[in-house]
Amino acid sequence: YRIGKGAVSVRNHSSAATHTVIGVHGFLENHCYFTQTYDASTTELILLTCSNYHIPVNGVTPEKAEWEVPIKYLEGTIEYDACILNQALQNLPTTRNIRMHGHSRGGGVILEAIRQWPELYEDIEVVLEAPVLPQGKLHPLVTTLLEPVSHGMWPWIVRLIGSAPQSAYGQTFFGKMNPRKRQLLSKLFCATKDHLTIVRNIEDIIEWAERTDFSVYQHIRYGTFLIPATDRILDRTAMLASAKNSPTTMRIVETEAPSHFVTLDSAEWLPDFEPLPSTAQA
């Protein structure tokens, strides 16, 4: 379904769905980030494509969503993509056992979506994987690299990175590679439809984290933070400090993941599906 400048995809499931997972990809990623993590035939998988990103599937013609409503925020922002997420959550799941899983920027999108429409999330489990969080920061290495880059330089920067062998920077930022990481992270700078979206995403991540306080956590019912052991994209210390301001119903799992891409390193830290808490069932 095309929703504003983004999209939502629903994967066919071969058995009757017992759980619904809604995945929100991170900066310069695409919705395939979640497809192998949630491959059970009983899992209904609903996947966001954030605004001004390419849908990573060939030969599809997006349907018009009859339930689509206009979005008032600027495209390419966390607020805009949160509106796409809330429209998907309101209209698409066919089960009551719903998990919202966001990676990196996708974690911030989920928190913003909860802030915008808290009533929708009363029974929802959240998984926030190496997430952008209130009062969080970029890793100092990333900040140092971005400081001298002006708007006009981005087209050249993107071409330069695109032509460089991934080995030149991959190990530093992506950690130890495996076939799945190599497949998903090899074309990062082709994910968006234009360079402006890259710039806007980065600036907005920084601004959203700075202006959003811990009160955004008050509407989360239950779920899990997956914190990597090493993260060279976001500042792990700030991430952990922010997570500790969340409700006690949120578990903080300090994983042994060697990179920002926790579930691509290993799915072992992903929590099992749980029945709804008794309070949610009531």
Side-chain angles (χ1 to χ4, degrees):
Y1 300 96
R2 175 68 66 190
I3 302 177
K5 297 293 186 178
V8 180
S9 308
V10 182
R11 186 184 67 188
N12 292 332
H13 44 93
S14 55
S15 303
T18 57
H19 293 86
T20 300
V21 175
I22 305 180
V24 189
H25 67 80
F27 173 57
L28 297 186
E29 296 167 7
N30 65 54
H31 77 207
C32 296
Y33 190 91
F34 302 98
T35 53
Q36 288 191 7
T37 303
Y38 296 104
D39 57 0
S41 62
T42 54
T43 298
E44 174 182 58
L45 190 58
I46 298 171
L47 299 169
L48 246 69
T49 291
C50 291
S51 50
N52 295 334
Y53 276 63
H54 295 292
I55 299 172
V57 183
N58 292 325
V60 296
T61 303
E63 295 180 30
K64 176 169 174 51
E66 297 301 324
W67 34 265
E68 177 188 4
V69 295
I71 297 172
K72 63 183 179 182
Y73 295 103
L74 184 67
E75 60 209 52
T77 62
I78 286 173
E79 286 92 343
Y80 189 102
D81 294 335
C83 290
I84 300 175
L85 177 58
N86 281 339
Q87 291 186 46
L89 174 59
Q90 187 187 23
N91 294 283
L92 291 175
T94 62
T95 81
R96 287 188 64 236
N97 298 320
I98 301 173
R99 167 181 289 181
M100 195 76 73
H101 184 159
H103 176 243
S104 195
R105 179 181 182 272
V109 171
I110 289 173
L111 289 174
E112 175 62 28
I114 295 172
R115 188 190 67 77
Q116 288 182 13
W117 200 342
E119 298 82 6
L120 269 184
Y121 289 82
E122 288 180 357
D123 297 343
I124 306 294
E125 176 202 10
V126 298
V127 174
L128 303 176
E129 175 190 345
V132 168
L133 295 177
Q135 305 303 303
K137 300 174 183 175
L138 302 180
H139 188 279
L141 183 59
V142 176
T143 304
T144 301
L145 289 172
L146 291 178
E147 274 176 355
V149 179
S150 66
H151 277 47
M153 289 170 66
W154 270 104
W156 287 273
I157 295 286
V158 171
R159 275 192 214 107
L160 182 65
I161 294 173
S163 62
Q166 199 179 80
S167 57
Y169 59 87
Q171 192 79 17
T172 301
F173 294 106
F174 304 157
K176 186 178 180 182
M177 298 301 281
N178 59 43
R180 185 64 177 158
K181 284 171 83 170
R182 194 169 285 112
Q183 182 183 19
L184 288 178
L185 304 178
S186 62
K187 303 282 188 197
L188 285 177
F189 285 88
C190 302
T192 63
K193 293 181 178 178
D194 53 51
H195 298 134
L196 174 62
T197 300
I198 296 175
V199 180
R200 186 172 290 162
N201 274 187
I202 292 171
E203 293 178 345
D204 181 65
I205 286 169
I206 296 167
E207 291 168 7
W208 183 89
E210 286 178 350
R211 72 172 179 266
T212 305
D213 62 30
F214 301 134
S215 66
V216 76
Y217 289 130
Q218 67 185 325
H219 300 294
I220 297 181
R221 288 297 178 257
Y222 70 114
T224 307
F225 291 96
L226 296 177
I227 310 292
T230 301
D231 193 327
R232 294 208 175 98
I233 306 290
L234 297 177
D235 186 315
R236 181 187 184 278
T237 303
M239 187 190 302
L240 195 54
S242 180
K244 287 177 178 175
N245 286 275
S246 66
T248 54
T249 50
M250 284 293 290
R251 291 173 298 191
I252 299 174
V253 179
E254 294 188 55
T255 71
E256 296 171 17
S259 80
H260 181 65
F261 307 92
V262 178
T263 57
L264 298 188
D265 287 323
S266 175
E268 67 182 285
W269 298 293
L270 195 69
D272 293 332
F273 288 118
E274 297 179 3
L276 287 171
S278 57
T279 52
Q281 289 175 330

